[in-house]
Amino acid sequence: VNQEIDYDTAEEIAMEFDVLCEKEEVVDVIEELLKEEEEDENTMEKRPPVVCVMGHVDHGKTSLLDAIRHTNVIDREAGGITQHIGAYVVDVNGEKITFLDTPGHEAFTAMRMRGANSTDIAILVVAADDGVMPQTVEAINHAKAAGIEIIVAINKIDKPSANVERVKQELTEYELIAEDWGGSTVFVPVSAHTGEGISDLLEMILLTAEVLELKANPKREARGLVIEAQLDKGKGSVATVLVQKGTLHVGDAIAAGSAHGKVRAMMDDKGRRVKEAGPSKPVEILGLNDVPKAGEIFVGCATEKEARNFAETFISQNKMKLLEETKSKMSLDDLFSQ
Ligand code: GDP
Ligand code: MG
């Protein structure tokens, strides 16, 4: 009973005990529902890049996001009133960049499970006075596994102990090689404190996005991801969603994981009421009957009935999955008690 066995052996034994009973099939129903035809190239239009910030703790992720937010002209015009909805849009000379500022990798992992990437570009923040640290490496692995483009922001260059070249040298080990070191990775030295390099960083994001040719069809039913959601005493279920394809309108029927409903109201990241939201736009929506999980896919539906069906399928699917998991746990217990 105490002997360690490798995965292959465990799988074989589990098969014998019928533990892995068609787990694949259980997952398939939702995947089937989410399946889509390939989009006609002619319907595709340019969309803003969606960017996340990753890196080791205390290297300045939050500070950098704040610094970027404050360079936003529109913010200043609105008197600096920004609402926290887990994402915000920055306007750079008429071009938009969407930043996700949800903490942690949780949502990220959930989104990847559904095969949908939330982001196009990851900003890897590395403190110039500290260099590559364990979570830096973790972030690199995450981004690479997801196939996301990496831009390196070497932060805290205002510090006397900053050593930009050392960071570049350390990152060569992870195949992130700066142009002046003979590679093709974009490195931008910045200071979240003084604001130095921030506009260069924004420019490099837009250049990278240009190369990636990010596109989506705005004229179809909306689809995207739940970034965060909670229950509000007055408003009910409040969910921030990122529209990835199509356009979401007030009044649209919608399903998001186990939740469904009709979009009653939408707010953008500046707290303004909006009637519609197209590709790469984050919005807060009201009107769902329940609180969906971060990372779930949302779909715009033709009718409220269709939305309800989707949510019900999702719920029963999850119940089945839970049942399977419990069953396999029980079987394993049985196995160990023999
Ligand atoms: P996070 O954990 O990656 O989100 O890091 P924070 O943004 O919370 O920053 C960690 C610490 O580094 C804070 O004390 C910041 O004030 C400081 N910090 C962040 N950016 C800079 C910078 O550009 N220069 C200096 N000198 N300090 C910075
Ligand atoms: Mg932080």
Side-chain angles (χ1 to χ4, degrees):
V1 171
N2 293 324
Q3 193 189 337
E4 269 185 44
I5 51 171
D6 59 18
Y7 182 82
D8 288 343
T9 317
E11 188 178 46
E12 231 174 85
I13 298 170
M15 286 290 204
E16 288 263 354
F17 281 82
D18 205 53
V19 173
L20 295 177
C21 33
E22 299 158 70
K23 232 184 203 161
E24 302 284 314
E25 254 174 52
V26 177
V27 184
D28 276 349
V29 185
I30 284 290
E31 253 151 47
E32 206 55 46
L33 265 178
L34 289 172
K35 214 172 253 171
E36 293 211 302
E37 308 264 302
E38 197 148 319
E39 213 87 44
D40 180 356
E41 196 51 42
N42 296 325
T43 64
M44 306 288 264
E45 289 176 25
K46 189 177 168 186
R47 64 169 177 85
V50 180
V51 179
C52 72
V53 172
M54 305 174 94
H56 196 72
V57 65
D58 283 346
H59 279 198
K61 297 179 292 296
T62 305
S63 306
L64 191 63
L65 278 165
D66 285 348
I68 291 168
R69 195 193 298 245
H70 287 126
T71 59
N72 194 351
V73 180
I74 290 171
D75 264 7
R76 270 207 295 273
E77 283 170 355
I81 309 156
T82 42
Q83 219 194 349
H84 179 88
I85 68 163
Y88 61 88
V89 181
V90 170
D91 203 294
V92 187
N93 307 323
E95 301 227 43
K96 289 183 165 45
I97 305 173
T98 300
F99 283 90
L100 298 184
D101 66 352
T102 42
H105 295 309
E106 254 171 70
F108 201 65
T109 316
M111 289 173 203
R112 273 187 50 208
M113 254 169 52
R114 294 240 175 272
N117 266 337
S118 54
T119 46
D120 306 301
I121 299 168
I123 306 298
L124 180 70
V125 180
V126 187
D129 62 337
D130 204 23
V132 173
M133 297 301 273
Q135 283 168 285
T136 315
V137 179
E138 224 173 87
I140 295 170
N141 292 337
H142 259 293
K144 279 194 177 166
I148 301 171
E149 200 68 25
I150 299 174
I151 293 178
V152 181
I154 306 181
N155 190 31
K156 308 197 187 184
I157 54 163
D158 58 287
K159 282 192 152 188
S161 53
N163 189 339
V164 171
E165 289 309 304
R166 191 188 61 155
V167 176
K168 286 183 179 173
Q169 190 254 315
E170 285 175 350
L171 281 172
T172 57
E173 255 184 68
Y174 303 92
E175 286 138 27
L176 295 175
I177 304 165
E179 276 163 6
D180 54 339
W181 281 64
S184 57
T185 306
V186 175
F187 279 68
V188 188
V190 299
S191 166
H193 273 190
T194 68
E196 195 183 340
I198 301 288
S199 57
D200 296 337
L201 179 63
L202 296 175
E203 227 164 86
M204 291 321 288
I205 292 170
L206 286 174
L207 269 178
T208 306
E210 198 75 41
V211 175
L212 293 175
E213 292 188 53
L214 305 168
K215 286 178 183 172
N217 174 7
K219 294 192 191 88
R220 47 157 285 171
E221 70 282 8
R223 191 187 263 251
L225 295 164
V226 176
I227 296 172
E228 54 181 41
Q230 69 265 334
L231 201 60
D232 181 277
K233 205 174 150 215
K235 298 187 226 168
S237 170
V238 181
T240 299
V241 300
L242 172 71
V243 179
Q244 294 182 302
K245 304 168 167 184
T247 298
L248 188 64
H249 309 85
V250 169
D252 280 357
I254 176 178
S258 58
H260 69 91
K262 205 169 166 177
V263 179
R264 205 170 67 223
M266 283 202 287
M267 260 76 64
D268 70 6
D269 57 312
K270 317 287 187 297
R272 297 176 296 213
R273 272 179 176 261
V274 289
K275 286 211 167 71
E276 54 174 48
S280 297
K281 194 167 171 69
V283 276
E284 194 178 79
I285 60 168
L286 303 184
L288 288 171
N289 71 333
D290 197 2
V291 182
K293 281 207 179 76
E296 285 305 345
I297 290 176
F298 85 79
V299 288
C301 301
T303 61
E304 275 183 89
K305 187 160 171 261
E306 195 186 304
R308 190 175 58 233
N309 279 343
F310 185 97
E312 276 166 7
T313 311
F314 187 91
I315 292 167
S316 63
Q317 166 101 70
N318 270 1
K319 273 193 196 137
M320 258 156 72
K321 254 198 273 186
L322 203 66
L323 204 68
E324 291 299 332
E325 276 162 27
T326 318
K327 245 165 74 184
S328 37
K329 265 194 208 119
M330 274 165 43
S331 318
L332 279 175
D333 285 344
D334 289 347
L335 187 69
F336 282 118
S337 64
Q338 278 176 14

